[in-house]
Amino acid sequence: MLKLQVNNLVRSATFFQHAGISIIFVFMPVIAKGVTDSIFEIGLLVASFSFAQILSEIYFGRHSDKKGTRLKFIRIGFIGCAIAFGLHYFAEDLTMFFLVRIAAGIASGIMIPAMIAYTYEANIDKKRAATVISFHALGWLAGIAAAGIANDLKLIFLLSAASFVIGLLFTIKLPNPQQEKELKPGTTKNVITKNKFLFSSLLLRHIGAAAVWTILPIMLMERLGAELYQISVVYVANTLTAFILMNIMASKIHLSNVTKFQIGIGFTTFVFIGLALITDWWMAMPFMSLVGATWAFLFIGGNFHLMENNPRSTSTGIFSSTLSIATVVGPVVAGSIAYLFDYVAVMYFAIAIIICAFVVSLKIRK
């Protein structure tokens, strides 16, 4: 009963954590369009959040293992995010948006590795942790839906800050177990070297995905006539599928974690083949549902494989920072390609780089 209560508290905190991030993240290209007409500058602004996350996740993920505690980093992250995301409300120009996005990236990076490790360690049956982690997908669904319902690019900043405050409240009753301290020097380098093929394939896959996510909302609005709430509907198809599949994975899908990861990488290719061919906004929905499925496989498979074989917060911090690196590179690449060619050219780039990612993933040892 106690374990169920802890899992429910973590589910709730995870839900509001990712709702707060997603309310702004998905619509950042549209928001940036209001302060600059340069697609390249939009790419840089989207990338700034993830650039800050890279250093934050690696540093605080490793620090969490050194201290042997997770909850302190989770709570500090919630407080920092409530402040940083709330400050978006007062940003009126490109410079201010850069500053608040960097602050938000640092704050969110403090708690993401610690939250995943805490969830994994709270479950004796590690597969059950997938049902808890799945609430990050449900949080993204709620955040995207809330932004679409609000239909106000100022109001969503306040909703984001409120989500982090609510999430913080759920952490108050969480127990604070102490883990064995990981003090061995060179741990971060050893984890990267040991799992180089996993991190390399993840990086390549997510560069392609991040490039597409930068231009997709703009493409849906400008070329296919979508409204803000219709973009929300498209992205909800993604997160709802990820949530459902992560829960099924806990009991129904009996594959090795490496195989799950490889499935997630490989099948992403078909998402961008489809998005390159759509002629109306609603046609993006089945392909966004597919990307939700691939994300569930690669996120659970990759993270669980790492936590089974490496210091947990350090390895999940590197996993998250790898995503952040890709989310820095991807938008810059997307902005450059879209500027030189067009939006569909970004899809072709994503297809090519994700095929390379799948080939690299085949070298991961089970």
Side-chain angles (χ1 to χ4, degrees), residues 27-39:
F27 295 101
M28 201 61 224
V30 178
I31 295 166
K33 192 77 172 166
V35 292
T36 178
D37 291 326
S38 169
I39 191 70

Side-chain angles (χ1 to χ4, degrees), residues 59 77 107 234:
Y59 177 79
V234 168

Side-chain angles (χ1 to χ4, degrees), residues 128-144:
R128 297 299 304 167
T131 67
V132 183
I133 293 173
S134 71
F135 274 69
H136 95 262
L138 193 63
W140 274 75
L141 187 157
I144 295 165

Side-chain angles (χ1 to χ4, degrees), residues 234-285:
V234 168
Y235 276 86
V236 162
N238 174 348
T239 53
L240 181 60
T241 305
F243 172 73
I244 293 170
L245 199 55
M246 283 181 182
N247 278 279
I248 293 173
M249 218 172 286
S251 57
K252 303 294 185 183
I253 300 176
H254 304 292
L255 298 171
S256 74
N257 287 321
V258 170
T259 301
K260 290 175 185 175
F261 180 79
Q262 291 167 337
I263 289 171
I265 296 289
F267 275 81
T268 309
T269 309
F270 299 104
V271 173
F272 301 121
I273 292 173
L275 290 177
L277 300 174
I278 63 173
T279 56
D280 207 339
W281 70 267
W282 57 267
M283 293 180 180
M285 291 180 65

Side-chain angles (χ1 to χ4, degrees), residues 21 24 49 52 67 85 89 124 127 131 138 157 165 168 176 198 204 216 246 284 295 311 316 327 364:
I21 294 172
I24 295 177
F49 173 84
K67 294 291 185 181
F85 281 77
Y89 185 86
I124 297 172
K127 287 185 177 180
T131 67
L138 193 63
F157 301 141
V165 173
L168 175 65
N176 188 21
L198 188 151
L204 291 171
L216 184 61
M246 283 181 182
W295 174 253
T316 57
T327 317
I364 302 171

Side-chain angles (χ1 to χ4, degrees), residues 297-314:
F297 273 102
L298 76 87
F299 190 83
I300 295 298
N303 273 302
F304 279 35
H305 175 72
L306 290 171
M307 288 189 287
E308 284 176 359
N309 301 287
N310 305 274
R312 288 165 187 160
S313 193
T314 300

